[in-house]
Amino acid sequence: MIEHGYTVSGMSCGHCAQSVTEEITVLPGVAEVDVDVAAGRVVVRAEAALAEDDVRAAVEEAGFTYEGVADLIP
């Protein structure tokens, strides 16, 4: 499994987290999505590397702003 971290802005509630999760989960190879609304961080666990453009499109489809790749903090 590969972990990817992303920064997303505009999220403010559990419904926001659910929307982002639903859009990213349909990307090929995605196994798990964890959204931290307060931090504006999304961690995705996938079977292989994800194309950043695909993640950006999924976040934007959910109605939020993709800010870029984020460092993963343990």
Side-chain angles (χ1 to χ4, degrees), residues 4-13 15-21 23-24 33-44 52 54-71:
H4 308 272
Y6 305 99
T7 302
V8 176
S9 62
M11 300 183 297
S12 61
C13 65
H15 183 265
C16 297
Q18 181 180 357
S19 296
V20 170
T21 298
E23 291 297 331
I24 294 176
V33 179
D34 291 319
V35 178
D36 183 337
V37 172
R41 181 171 311 234
V42 178
V43 176
V44 180
E52 189 173 358
D54 291 344
V55 176
R56 177 189 313 274
V59 168
E60 291 175 355
E61 181 66 28
F64 303 98
T65 304
Y66 176 86
E67 299 290 343
V69 175
D71 290 331

